[in-house]
Amino acid sequence: MSKDHHVRAKKNLGQHFLTDESIAEKIADSLSYKGYDHVLEIGPGMGVLTKYLLEKDVTIHVIEIDTESVSYLKNNYLNLADRIIEKDFLKYNLKEVFEEQPFAVIGNFPYNISSQILFKTLEMRDQIPEFSGMFQKEVALRICSKEGSKVYGILSVLTQAFYNATYLFTVPPSVFNPPPKVDSGVLFLTRKENYILPCDEKLFFRVVKTGFQQRRKTLRNSLKTFDLSDNLKSNLIFDQRPEQLSVEQFITLTQLIENDINS
Ligand code: SAH
């Protein structure tokens, strides 16, 4: 492929190429670049963001599923060539590259898998101190929202249990080729100092996911499957609906359930 032959956007891969250099630079500048030596970009496409990342004083790795984008990157970013992982981010075992080292994650994500990208990040939280990314605006707002908000949900609680989440800025469809149908939003996550929860973490995930399955119901109703004692269920916390509980209250709730199950 010639150097200036551009990648044809493929819908099934969620390809919307960013055309605004100043936004790419702003996204690259959103990480602190402190506390880790490696950064992984997911879905670099033609490298609009990668180019600014390569200016930073860290080692840049990219993971890209699209063969055509990979050959474009190999032709245009010669110094990146041996750090291009041609794989599906969701399936690839990142320990093969990073072993136990910490790394930050960044990208203008394919929107069809952006929640799954976040879940995989949460699973690897031990190694990921920072995360910056472009989502569909509505999803980015949801991840950063607080209890009491209409959009507060599973993604908000699970993310904010481990990370401080900041919504940075909105990006309009007009700066992409082809333009998506919706606005985009960039968010920044920085891992909390105490990101080990004072409760059973597996149970915490189950409590949050089950609680939000029926968001209009009280927790007493939606957590029935946990087979809790009548004594515990009389606790006033069960009168609430999931969207009213802060992250800390979800942790307390998990502790109560843990004690109840074990007694
Ligand atoms: N970062 C580029 C491209 C964004 S479009 C830009 O801002 O212009 C999203 C990119 O993610 C595409 O290049 C697409 O091929 C890639 N992609 C889609 N699914 C992927 C997956 N499962 N793993 C890795 N990359 C993926």
Side-chain angles (χ1 to χ4, degrees):
M1 198 198 301
S2 76
K3 240 178 117 121
D4 43 10
H5 179 96
H6 282 213
V7 175
R8 182 181 45 90
K10 296 162 206 75
K11 219 177 182 175
N12 64 320
L13 294 180
Q15 290 182 335
H16 296 279
F17 298 111
L18 185 63
T19 54
D20 185 316
E21 295 287 329
S22 67
I23 294 175
E25 190 169 14
K26 240 166 103 176
I27 298 173
D29 285 345
S30 65
L31 294 175
S32 77
Y33 300 97
K34 291 194 182 99
Y36 47 85
D37 299 322
H38 299 269
V39 172
L40 175 67
E41 185 192 356
I42 302 169
M46 285 184 279
V48 62
L49 177 57
T50 322
K51 152 167 86 229
Y52 294 100
L53 296 173
L54 287 168
E55 292 175 0
K56 309 289 181 187
D57 195 18
V58 289
T59 306
I60 305 300
H61 308 254
V62 302
I63 184 161
E64 173 58 67
I65 200 170
D66 176 34
T67 316
E68 198 185 348
S69 295
V70 168
S71 30
Y72 181 93
L73 292 167
K74 283 185 176 158
N75 285 333
N76 290 277
Y77 299 90
L78 300 177
N79 51 349
L80 186 67
D82 45 3
R83 280 169 286 110
I84 301 175
I85 311 161
E86 190 174 347
K87 298 277 182 197
D88 180 340
F89 170 76
L90 297 179
K91 294 191 184 142
Y92 184 64
N93 177 10
L94 294 167
K95 301 242 183 221
E96 285 185 22
V97 171
F98 297 107
E99 298 175 340
E100 301 303 321
Q101 298 180 88
F103 59 95
V105 169
I106 195 163
N108 165 18
F109 303 132
Y111 295 154
N112 51 335
I113 60 163
S114 62
S115 299
Q116 292 167 74
I117 289 175
L118 185 62
F119 277 119
K120 179 156 178 175
T121 299
L122 296 180
E123 273 169 31
M124 292 199 74
R125 58 191 176 272
D126 284 353
Q127 272 177 275
I128 306 180
E130 281 186 354
F131 175 102
S132 261
M134 178 131 64
F135 292 78
Q136 212 176 298
K137 179 184 180 183
E138 168 192 286
V139 177
L141 286 174
R142 181 187 293 278
I143 294 165
C144 299
S145 71
K146 293 288 177 191
E147 66 273 17
S149 150
K150 263 196 187 144
V151 297
Y152 183 68
I154 295 173
L155 281 180
S156 338
V157 180
L158 296 182
T159 304
Q160 294 173 43
F162 308 107
Y163 291 89
N164 292 313
T166 314
Y167 184 86
L168 295 181
F169 54 89
T170 300
V171 183
S174 57
V175 298
F176 296 92
N177 182 24
K181 290 203 171 67
V182 292
D183 275 338
S184 302
V186 177
L187 63 74
F188 175 56
L189 305 179
T190 173
R191 197 175 55 199
K192 292 183 172 175
E193 215 155 305
N194 286 324
Y195 66 96
I196 311 285
L197 305 185
C199 66
D200 178 334
E201 292 186 347
K202 275 213 177 102
L203 184 63
F204 176 78
F205 273 72
R206 266 181 62 212
V207 168
V208 174
K209 286 181 175 173
T210 314
F212 275 106
Q213 260 161 27
Q214 295 158 299
R215 59 184 295 134
R216 309 304 307 160
K217 294 200 174 167
T218 65
L219 290 163
R220 187 170 296 110
N221 244 308
S222 51
L223 297 182
K224 267 194 178 131
T225 50
F226 283 84
D227 201 20
L228 304 170
S229 69
D230 290 337
N231 180 37
L232 179 63
K233 279 187 287 188
S234 66
N235 189 310
L236 291 180
I237 199 167
F238 287 93
D239 285 336
Q240 311 226 52
R241 282 180 282 125
E243 66 210 47
Q244 296 173 291
L245 255 56
S246 67
V247 170
E248 288 66 33
Q249 287 173 306
F250 266 110
I251 293 172
T252 306
L253 177 64
T254 306
Q255 289 168 332
L256 290 171
I257 292 176
E258 200 176 337
N259 291 336
D260 196 63
I261 291 173
N262 293 333
S263 69

